């Protein structure tokens, strides 16, 4: 599809055309890196393969999609499409960085329906009978692969303007600070709903919707759209994370591709858990006593306390906020309609 055809296409088609180029960019990046390092020694390509495997395992591509939406909705110059494509690809690689580390922090056995990187490489260590501890080896491979993903992501955004680069830096910092607070609050068992909401926004919500949209607009040199995208992204980003919490607590792992009730096992102070603790201190005692093995009991208690329904109502309200924000944005009607549709799709997904 030519640049003129992309410009004339309806929003979803225009985005999909650029997303196809993002996939090509990712495939070429990892093919080149695997070939380069395999020529040095086959073992040198292992961390590259770990990143490529995760990126290629069928993620939702939400962050690249929102980045491209921001660029296209802002009327981005076709000459800047390569910069937008690289930035969108960088967001997916940055997501791989976050997930590789997150899976180690959460001791998660599955990601996208397959063994996580640290589990896979620990098993390889055990099977081969290598020296040392398999778990430490597996976690080391995952940590290094995550660091490598961060380097690749940084390289992909090398052509960003100063304004766009500042947005990139901010979202990168927010991920790490939010992730730290996530594990710290779990360790201290702090049941503070407002803090739980802020952590969810910082480590996931902002960098899933708000920052990618604004990054795309910045590439198009339309920072005047930042306030509207922030209102839309803040609301939808929170709804995204709340849906993630509900999927973890009540979802089907065969659909989501990852273990359910892992947040309970890790004693994460999600909004679900924080609200429930405020209503019934038996939940706090259950967590403190290590009684997270019976996730079904905890999930039922959360349901009985009306917390599950309250979070669903919160999601409804956030979707309405996001749609109102985008309806008032200075965008073409087609893009306002598309972003309103996407808000529903993201907030009410099953995986």
């Amino acid at each position: 599809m030519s640049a003129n055809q992309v410009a004339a296409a309806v929003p979803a088609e225009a985005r999909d055309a650029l997303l196809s180029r993002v996939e090509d960019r990712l495939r070429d990046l990892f093919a080149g890196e695997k070939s380069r390092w395999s020529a040095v020694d086959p073992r040198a390509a292992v961390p590259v393969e770990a990143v490529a495997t995760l990126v290629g395992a069928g993620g939702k591509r939400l962050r690249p999609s929102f980045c491209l939406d921001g660029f296209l909705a802002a009327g981005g110059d076709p000459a800047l499409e390569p910069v937008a494509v690289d930035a969108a690809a960088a967001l997916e690689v940055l997501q791989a960085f976050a997930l590789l580390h997150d899976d180690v922090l959460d001791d998660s056995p599955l990601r996208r329906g397959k063994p996580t990187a640290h589990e896979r490489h620990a098993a390889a260590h055990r099977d081969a009978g290598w020296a040392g501890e398999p778990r430490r080896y597996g976690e080391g491979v995952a940590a290094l692969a995550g660091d490598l993903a961060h380097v690749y992501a940084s390289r992909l955004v090398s052509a960003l303007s100063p304004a766009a680069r500042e947005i990139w830096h901010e979202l990168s910092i927010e991920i790490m600070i939010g992730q730290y607070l996530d594990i710290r609050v779990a360790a201290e068992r702090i049941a503070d709903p407002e803090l739980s909401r802020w952590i969810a926004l910082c480590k996931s919500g902002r960098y899933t919707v708000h920052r990618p949209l604004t990054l795309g607009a910045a590439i198009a040199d339309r920072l005047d759209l930042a306030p509207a995208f922030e209102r839309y992204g803040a609301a939808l980003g929170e709804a995204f994370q709340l849906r993630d919490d509900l999927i973890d607590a009540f979802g089907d792992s065969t659909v989501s591709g990852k273990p359910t009730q892992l947040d309970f096992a890790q004693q994460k102070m999600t909004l679900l858990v924080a609200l429930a603790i405020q209503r019934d201190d038996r939940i706090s005692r259950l967590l403190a006593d290590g009684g997270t093995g019976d996730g079904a009991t905890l999930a039922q208690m959360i349901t009985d306390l009306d917390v599950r329904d309250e979070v669903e109502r919160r999601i409804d309200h956030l979707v309405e906020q996001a749609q109102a924000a985008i309806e008032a944005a200075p965008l073409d009607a087609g893009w306002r309609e598309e972003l309103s549709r996407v808000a529903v799709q993201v907030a009410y997904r099953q995986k």
Side-chain angles (χ1 to χ4, degrees), residues 223-297:
L223 285 176
D224 59 295
L225 291 171
F229 282 166
E230 180 175 2
R231 290 191 294 273
Y232 172 88
L236 184 54
E238 184 179 351
F240 168 87
Q241 185 56 48
L242 292 179
R243 178 60 58 195
D244 240 22
D245 296 344
L246 289 168
I247 289 170
D248 181 272
F250 305 102
D252 182 345
S253 62
T254 63
V255 175
S256 67
K258 55 187 178 181
T260 56
Q261 300 178 343
L262 192 60
D263 287 344
F264 294 162
Q266 297 294 326
Q267 302 190 27
K268 294 293 182 68
M269 286 298 162
T270 63
L271 185 62
L272 273 173
V273 173
L275 288 171
I277 287 175
Q278 287 193 339
R279 296 178 188 183
D280 191 333
D281 59 11
R282 289 180 301 166
I283 290 177
S284 183
R285 292 198 298 271
L286 181 65
L287 292 170
D289 293 341
T292 55
D294 188 4
T297 298

Side-chain angles (χ1 to χ4, degrees), residues 64-312:
S65 293
F66 277 118
C67 178
L68 297 174
D69 282 348
F71 175 77
L72 291 166
D77 185 341
L80 290 172
E81 285 177 2
V83 179
V85 166
D86 273 8
L91 285 164
E92 193 63 29
V93 179
L94 189 70
Q95 169 73 346
F97 147 76
L99 294 181
L100 284 161
H101 286 191
D102 193 42
D103 287 341
V104 171
L105 291 172
D106 290 346
D107 195 22
S108 180
L110 293 175
R111 170 66 63 180
R112 296 172 181 168
K114 297 179 181 179
T116 48
H118 67 278
E119 288 284 347
R120 191 167 63 252
H121 288 282
H125 184 288
R126 281 192 299 271
D127 293 345
W130 294 335
E133 183 183 347
R135 177 183 174 122
R136 285 182 62 84
Y137 173 80
E139 291 179 348
V141 172
L144 291 169
D147 293 344
L148 183 61
H150 198 286
V151 175
Y152 287 146
S154 298
R155 193 166 74 181
L156 283 164
V157 296
S158 60
L160 290 181
S161 67
R165 186 178 300 279
E166 184 59 32
I167 294 167
W168 173 264
H169 289 158
E170 194 65 19
L171 73 88
S172 300
I173 293 168
E174 286 170 345
I175 296 168
M176 297 182 203
I177 297 299
Q179 194 69 273
Y180 166 73
L181 285 174
D182 189 42
I183 62 173
R184 175 65 180 266
V185 167
E188 292 189 50
R189 298 195 183 97
I190 299 174
D192 181 341
E194 282 306 305
L195 182 56
S196 294
R197 285 186 60 240
W198 190 89
I199 291 170
L201 271 173
C202 190
K203 82 182 184 82
S204 182
R206 285 180 182 167
Y207 116 95
T208 297
V209 186
H210 168 205
R211 300 297 186 195
L213 270 174
T214 309
L215 179 63
I219 294 169
D221 197 23
R222 284 289 307 278
L223 285 176
D224 59 295
L225 291 171
F229 282 166
E230 180 175 2
R231 290 191 294 273
Y232 172 88
L236 184 54
E238 184 179 351
F240 168 87
Q241 185 56 48
L242 292 179
R243 178 60 58 195
D244 240 22
D245 296 344
L246 289 168
I247 289 170
D248 181 272
F250 305 102
D252 182 345
S253 62
T254 63
V255 175
S256 67
K258 55 187 178 181
T260 56
Q261 300 178 343
L262 192 60
D263 287 344
F264 294 162
Q266 297 294 326
Q267 302 190 27
K268 294 293 182 68
M269 286 298 162
T270 63
L271 185 62
L272 273 173
V273 173
L275 288 171
I277 287 175
Q278 287 193 339
R279 296 178 188 183
D280 191 333
D281 59 11
R282 289 180 301 166
I283 290 177
S284 183
R285 292 198 298 271
L286 181 65
L287 292 170
D289 293 341
T292 55
D294 188 4
T297 298
L298 193 50
Q300 188 59 55
M301 292 174 70
I302 288 172
T303 300
D304 293 343
L305 291 166
D306 193 42
V307 172
R308 180 179 183 179
D309 286 345
E310 179 174 338
V311 171
E312 287 284 7

Side-chain angles (χ1 to χ4, degrees), residues 20 47 61-62 95 200 319:
S20 178
R61 301 295 195 253
L62 284 178
Q95 169 73 346
V319 170

